[in-house]
Amino acid sequence: MCGWRDDVAVHVVATAGHVDHGKSTLVRALTGMEPDRLAEEHRRGMTIDLGFAWTGLPSGAVLAFVDVPGHQRFVPTMLAGVGPVPAALFVVAADAGWMPQSAEHLAVLDALGVRHGLLAVTRSDLAPPGPAMAHARAEIAATSLGAVEAVAVSGATGAGLADLRAALDRLVAGLPAADPAAPVRLWVDRAFTIRGSGTVVTATLGAGTLRTGDEVELAGTGRTARVRGLQSLGAPADAVTAVARVAVNLRGVPRDAVRRGDALVSPGRFHHCDVVDIRLAGDPVADLPAEVILHIGAASVPVRVRSLGPDTARLHLSRALPLRIGDRALLRDPGRRHVAGGVTVLDVAPPELRRRGAAAGRAAVLSTMDGRPDGAGEVRRRLVVRRADLERMGVPVDQRPVAGDWLVEPAHWVALRQRLADEVARYARAHPLEAGTPIDVLRHGLDLPDRALVEALVAPPLAISEGRVTPARATAGTAALPPAIARAVERIRADLVDRPFAAPDADRLAELGLGPRELAVAVRAGALVSVVPGVVLQPGAIEAAAEVLAALPQPFTLSEARRALDTSRRVAVPLLQVLDQRGVTRRLPDDRRTLR
Ligand SMILES: Nc1nc2c(ncn2[C@@H]2O[C@H](COP(=O)(O)OP(=O)(O)OP(=O)(O)O)[C@@H](O)[C@H]2O)c(=O)[nH]1
Ligand SMILES: [Mg+2]
């Protein structure tokens, strides 16, 4: 058993189906293990709590089962078992056929978006399996599971079990591979103590790798613990890679501090949120009661619903959870014992809705989102955000930070640079005796979260000296110029405010009386910069262009650069050449460029 971990694929499926249809009997027959661990379950002849068992398949893969109770009273337990698992073995009894809990369990799988499954028609020694099979297949085909294979079996006689094993092998061969490097998020499905070892939790490891000695965070508590020991499938292991069932012995956590539904996560890698914006597939959002239960992983949390659009809503969670954009969950109304629908998490750090009309605006934004992580979109919506924060939300980003870990929407950055220059000029007028504008004044004035952003915005002719941004000698620029040229330069600068890289064309220059000689005077005075003869921009524009380009996915084409800079080829081509010459960009053999 010890050799199982390293060299074989492990998969986890949950059972599903109406009470007494033979789920546990089937798991027992397939694995030789007892999924009903509790004496009470044997006394009452029914599953009450989750059961765990595993077996080798003909291919050599190992399949672990999470056996769930079928009784309606235990649907929350069923949800905790199914939540973290990507596939289901749906069980229907040949003699009883499709039943209410068959329908509710199927609705759960559909709401969670479970796409992989298999139908077993059990108790086929008691009745011909055909009718139940046809009915169940038709019901299942209409859900996220789609058309599934079906096998008739008997847990009593063993008939059909070999076929079922072969079908399970085909099922697991089609499951997506887990990312072994992903951060770990374990939804605890059992917690107990072992004398001499302390607290042990079990869970399905859906992604990532867990090692003994690792530190884990008990989500939402700020408490961390160390992995003292690990087991998978009954055997001790130094490291366990997803997908797997794991038992984790924790150091530093008293037993009563952790229970089913809690999450253990890689420290610092998840955003813990108590407000999320979601899309609901199922009932219209307007029909939801004000309070429902959100089920995700093994967790179930009461939430208050604020409807935003016809299928979008804001959920206020009664307890913070480590959620990510794109997570699937479901909402259930325990009063009506009704699965209201499947949830896709759209935003885990949504903006507050304070102003009038904010909710309608938010609904419009949410209507464009689908839960697929979109780095560029998140930066566009948030304008200024830390890369690590986006990663914690489950959004990988390839854009480069402008300073430290800060990502800024490119057009916003250009606008900020202009506002910085304006603020510096205003401050200089108001405080003529001071050497420059204190950085914190600018940070506050531009509403930026970090001084580093102000510092990164400062570009020639502005400079930083002793904690202040100084309007460098040439900023005034135009003051030293002959008045006619100074006026023309001011007009050009005004033209460039909205589109800083749209250099004035020959007609505009001629209209303003700026011939080659006048331009040369303005450039020498530092009032304009020349990209090539006849193409002039504001001071600092070339540095600003480099920042805009740094925010593009690398490498980029000329036309991508042109679009990002919102300018024409006439400007973009020489601008890129200047950046090449300065060693800021590098031209690749295929003519694309990348920042050095
Ligand atoms: N004859 C026959 N009896 C079966 C078969 N499978 C299960 N049973 C019996 O059906 C009853 C219910 O089986 P379980 O396996 O406990 O059903 P379950 O789906 O796990 O029930 P819950 O967990 O309570 O939802 C038991 O008495 C089993 O012995 C089968 O294939 N043939
Ligand atoms: Mg059972």
Side-chain angles (χ1 to χ4, degrees):
M1 208 181 283
C2 287
W4 279 11
R5 275 298 333 146
D6 298 335
D7 46 4
V8 297
V10 178
H11 305 276
V12 186
V13 301
T15 59
H18 193 76
V19 62
D20 259 0
H21 274 205
K23 296 181 291 299
S24 303
T25 303
L26 191 54
V27 169
R28 202 177 291 125
L30 283 166
T31 64
M33 297 173 74
E34 179 52 70
D36 287 330
R37 291 169 285 115
L38 309 176
E40 189 186 353
E41 292 177 313
H42 291 276
R43 204 165 56 241
R44 293 170 61 181
M46 70 186 327
T47 301
I48 294 169
D49 202 355
L50 301 176
F52 307 97
W54 57 88
T55 184
L57 292 174
S59 67
V62 174
L63 184 58
F65 292 92
V66 178
D67 184 39
V68 309
H71 193 280
Q72 189 185 34
R73 264 186 40 218
F74 304 128
V75 168
T77 305
M78 179 270 179
L79 281 160
V82 171
V85 167
L89 173 62
F90 208 99
V91 175
V92 179
D95 55 332
W98 194 253
M99 295 291 279
Q101 249 50 55
S102 309
E104 184 164 17
H105 281 202
L106 184 61
V108 163
L109 298 174
D110 190 32
L112 292 172
V114 176
R115 288 186 294 118
H116 305 275
L118 184 59
L119 171 64
V121 177
T122 49
R123 298 171 58 114
S124 60
D125 55 306
L126 301 177
M133 187 178 287
H135 188 163
R137 281 187 103 167
E139 296 283 348
I140 292 170
T143 68
S144 59
L145 288 160
V148 294
E149 269 197 69
V151 185
V153 291
S154 165
T157 68
L161 287 183
D163 290 346
L164 181 58
R165 285 177 171 280
L168 285 167
D169 239 336
R170 288 190 289 277
L171 173 73
V172 300
L175 294 181
D179 175 3
V184 167
R185 179 175 60 175
L186 278 182
W187 296 105
V188 172
D189 50 38
R190 283 180 74 203
F192 50 93
T193 19
I194 291 183
R195 191 193 295 273
S197 296
T199 304
V200 176
V201 300
T202 69
T204 297
L205 180 65
T209 301
L210 204 56
R211 296 181 180 79
T212 53
D214 276 357
E215 192 172 62
V216 288
E217 187 181 337
L218 188 55
T221 66
R223 190 197 283 266
T224 59
R226 212 156 277 285
V227 176
R228 180 196 293 196
L230 278 175
Q231 279 198 5
S232 184
L233 308 179
D238 292 330
V240 180
T241 302
V243 176
R245 285 290 308 168
V246 284
V248 189
N249 181 199
L250 295 169
R251 194 200 311 272
V253 180
R255 160 69 188 88
D256 55 6
V258 46
R259 58 200 160 91
R260 173 172 296 164
D262 287 342
L264 294 174
V265 296
S266 303
R269 299 294 297 277
F270 285 84
H271 180 74
H272 302 286
C273 48
D274 52 11
V275 181
V276 291
D277 286 351
I278 59 121
R279 169 160 295 122
L280 184 69
D283 294 356
V285 166
D287 291 356
L288 290 177
E291 194 166 308
V292 286
I293 309 286
L294 174 75
H295 294 268
I296 175 153
S300 52
V301 175
V303 296
R304 257 187 316 112
V305 181
R306 172 172 182 182
S307 102
L308 291 172
D311 65 348
T312 54
R314 175 156 298 184
L315 304 180
H316 293 266
L317 282 58
S318 58
R319 163 163 82 84
L321 292 178
L323 300 185
R324 298 194 137 190
I325 292 175
D327 273 343
R328 298 296 300 257
L330 75 79
L331 291 181
R332 185 164 180 272
D333 178 357
R336 288 195 295 147
R337 297 189 161 177
H338 165 70
V339 174
V343 163
T344 302
V345 175
L346 300 179
D347 195 345
V348 294
E352 285 185 44
L353 304 176
R354 284 232 197 85
R355 281 176 296 105
R356 268 175 79 84
R362 185 62 185 162
V365 171
L366 293 177
S367 72
T368 67
M369 295 164 70
D370 62 4
R372 258 179 298 203
D374 166 18
E378 291 300 332
V379 175
R380 192 165 60 242
R381 281 186 286 275
R382 294 170 198 276
L383 297 179
V384 180
V385 62
R386 282 186 199 274
R387 180 157 67 175
D389 283 342
L390 286 185
E391 281 168 357
R392 270 192 277 277
M393 299 177 204
V395 183
V397 195
D398 50 13
Q399 185 174 329
R400 289 202 197 181
V402 292
D405 194 29
W406 292 104
L407 302 169
V408 181
E409 200 270 322
H412 186 60
W413 188 242
V414 172
L416 281 171
R417 172 156 288 136
Q418 184 61 45
R419 279 175 55 198
L420 178 98
D422 294 348
E423 293 278 338
V424 169
R426 190 168 27 247
Y427 192 91
R429 281 196 299 276
H431 306 88
L433 298 181
E434 291 186 26
T437 320
I439 287 177
D440 276 327
V441 168
L442 291 166
R443 189 187 70 71
H444 195 73
L446 299 182
D447 197 19
L448 289 172
D450 190 339
R451 283 169 60 99
L453 287 165
V454 177
E455 289 164 10
L457 279 171
V458 174
L462 302 183
I464 296 182
S465 158
E466 294 174 358
R468 290 171 184 263
V469 179
T470 54
R473 185 188 37 76
T475 322
T478 52
L481 293 173
I485 299 181
R487 269 196 307 278
V489 166
E490 293 296 353
R491 305 269 296 274
I492 288 196
R493 286 192 180 179
D495 289 350
L496 290 168
V497 165
D498 287 338
R499 296 178 61 207
F501 306 106
D505 60 14
D507 287 348
R508 178 70 173 149
L509 292 174
E511 185 190 342
L512 296 172
L514 290 171
R517 200 188 60 80
E518 289 79 11
L519 283 180
V521 170
V523 168
R524 244 197 328 276
L528 293 173
V529 292
S530 168
V531 181
V532 280
V535 176
V536 288
L537 295 170
Q538 297 194 75
I542 294 173
E543 294 77 7
E547 279 163 16
V548 171
L549 298 175
L552 288 175
Q554 310 284 322
F556 52 83
T557 63
L558 170 63
S559 75
E560 282 160 352
R562 190 184 58 67
R563 272 197 302 277
L565 297 168
D566 190 12
T567 187
S568 59
R569 287 179 64 93
R570 181 179 68 89
V571 179
V573 169
L575 192 52
L576 286 172
Q577 283 164 354
V578 170
L579 290 170
D580 291 344
Q581 280 158 17
R582 291 191 182 181
V584 176
T585 47
R586 189 159 55 88
R587 190 166 177 174
L588 304 176
D590 65 0
D591 242 16
R592 292 187 299 170
R593 283 180 169 83
T594 169
L595 269 283
R596 280 181 192 270

